[in-house]
């Protein structure tokens, strides 16, 4: 008979799920990673995507392992296990993805529901992943009143520079202007924020023809459809959806002189300004 609050053995078996995920990640084995979830797992990614069960989780992570996170390492840490009954528990976990030499790329926080399963001692039934915004300014986020979408104008919130050495440039902006580094891409690109505007320092590819320097900018908008209609009415091409693993802009557009800019409803990441400060209206 199982104890209502779970046994030490149960806790160890639940923690082993995250160890197995880390092992599958390190091996680039999406099937091994996905084997820790139920066939119909309700999984939500940091972008809000919901792959269809275990098969969807495996397919999505296979694309990551073959693409932007090839060769990376997952450090998965179970923070707390709370038993809701003999066969059900919630799990809080933190994970950090790092390059093979140990440089952290991104840290996520997850809340999961695990259940006792016929085929294995425990499996993950539901999993909600998120990237917490760093810095003390984030604590004021929920205190800010919701803006009126009908009266809020689009805001210039993103700048992107192609850089030969993003790390060195990130250190410069962090030390001189106190900007906060909140994300790294596997290729070395760095993303900083001052609480209002995010600055992307994109790694220059020696074999590419993209010049160094200013590359594009981005607007935080409230209605993609309305903005798209306004752009096409102004004679510019319809914004194109961006197929990217970065959790930032959803669409790329162009002005009448060919300058690129991004459009995003959910924003460009990074810490937010303190509550009550001037946000540019």
């Amino acid at each position: 008979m199982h104890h209502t609050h779970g046994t030490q053995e149960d806790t160890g078996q639940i923690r082993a799920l995250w160890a197995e995920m880390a092992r599958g990640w390190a091996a680039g084995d999406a099937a091994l990673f996905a084997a820790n979830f139920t066939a119909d797992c309700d999984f939500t990614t940091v972008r809000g995507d919901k792959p269809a069960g275990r098969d969807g989780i495996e397919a999505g992570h296979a694309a990551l392992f073959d693409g932007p996170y090839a060769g990376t390492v997952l450090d998965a840490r179970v923070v707390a296990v709370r038993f809701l009954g003999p066969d059900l528990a919630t799990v809080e976990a933190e994970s950090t993805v790092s390059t093979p030499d140990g440089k952290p790329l991104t840290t996520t926080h997850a809340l999961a529901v695990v259940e006792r399963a016929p085929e294995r001692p425990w499996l993950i039934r539901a999993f909600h992943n998120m990237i917490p915004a760093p810095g003390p300014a984030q604590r004021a986020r929920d205190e800010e009143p919701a803006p009126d979408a009908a009266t809020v104008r689009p805001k210039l919130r993103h700048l992107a520079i192609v850089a030969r050495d993003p790390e060195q440039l990130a250190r410069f902006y962090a030390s001189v202007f106190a900007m906060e580094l909140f994300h790294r891409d596997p290729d070395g690109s760095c993303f900083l924020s001052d609480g209002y505007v995010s600055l992307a320092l994109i790694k220059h590819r020696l074999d590419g023809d993209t010049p160094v320097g200013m590359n594009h900018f981005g607007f935080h908008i409230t209605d993609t459809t309305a903005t798209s209609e306004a752009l096409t009415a102004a004679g510019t091409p319809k914004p194109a959806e961006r197929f990217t693993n970065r959790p930032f802009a959803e669409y790329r557009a162009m002005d009448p002189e060919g300058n690129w800019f991004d459009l995003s409803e959910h924003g460009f990441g990074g810490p937010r300004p303190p509550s009550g400060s001037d946000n540019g209206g």
Side-chain angles (χ1 to χ4, degrees), residues 17-281:
L17 293 171
W18 272 259
E20 280 292 286
M21 278 192 279
R23 194 163 70 87
W25 190 293
D29 188 335
L32 179 59
F33 181 92
N36 299 283
F37 301 86
T38 62
D40 61 347
C41 180
D42 184 359
F43 190 103
T44 305
T45 72
V46 293
R47 289 177 57 87
D49 297 329
K50 296 182 76 68
R54 182 189 292 155
D55 290 343
I57 295 169
E58 180 178 344
H61 283 80
L64 291 177
F65 297 158
D66 290 338
Y69 288 98
T72 57
V73 177
L74 176 70
D75 175 24
R77 305 172 297 280
V78 172
V79 177
V81 178
R82 180 189 176 202
F83 287 92
L84 306 178
D87 302 318
L88 196 68
T90 60
V91 179
E92 289 185 59
E94 295 178 352
S95 299
T96 300
V97 179
S98 303
T99 60
D101 60 359
K103 180 184 295 182
L105 297 172
T106 188
T107 295
T108 63
H109 187 99
L111 178 63
V113 176
V114 297
E115 66 177 7
R116 204 179 299 276
E119 64 268 39
R120 289 179 58 181
W122 293 84
L123 286 175
I124 301 170
R125 183 59 182 266
F127 190 96
H128 192 106
N129 210 11
M130 63 170 285
I131 298 178
Q138 176 60 23
R139 290 196 291 268
R141 181 172 186 171
D142 295 333
E143 300 173 8
E144 298 179 2
D148 181 355
T151 59
V152 174
R153 71 177 66 180
K155 295 179 174 64
L156 187 63
R157 286 292 185 259
H158 178 66
L159 298 172
I161 297 172
V162 177
R164 296 184 183 89
D165 190 340
E167 284 285 350
Q168 182 181 28
L169 208 53
R171 288 193 294 270
F172 167 81
Y173 285 112
S175 63
V176 177
F177 296 103
M179 297 193 76
E180 185 171 344
L181 178 68
F182 67 90
H183 179 81
R184 282 189 182 90
D185 270 357
D187 67 358
S189 299
C190 296
F191 297 78
L192 302 95
S193 176
D194 64 353
Y196 299 93
V197 176
S198 73
L199 176 63
L201 305 175
I202 302 169
K203 176 65 176 177
H204 182 255
R205 295 177 175 83
L206 296 178
D207 58 349
D209 56 3
T210 302
V212 296
M214 186 61 65
N215 183 264
H216 66 270
F217 50 96
F219 286 99
H220 189 183
I221 59 175
T222 58
D223 189 331
T224 300
T225 300
T227 302
S228 297
E229 291 174 352
L231 286 167
T232 54
T236 57
K238 181 181 178 181
E241 187 171 1
R242 295 190 65 199
F243 295 96
T244 173
N245 289 298
R246 291 173 179 163
F248 308 130
E250 305 100 274
Y251 290 88
R252 170 64 57 85
M254 183 183 295
D255 71 14
E257 294 199 3
N259 298 300
W260 290 346
F261 56 91
D262 289 342
L263 301 172
S264 175
E265 286 190 14
H266 60 62
F268 293 88
R272 292 170 62 92
S275 178
S277 61
D278 178 17
N279 65 2

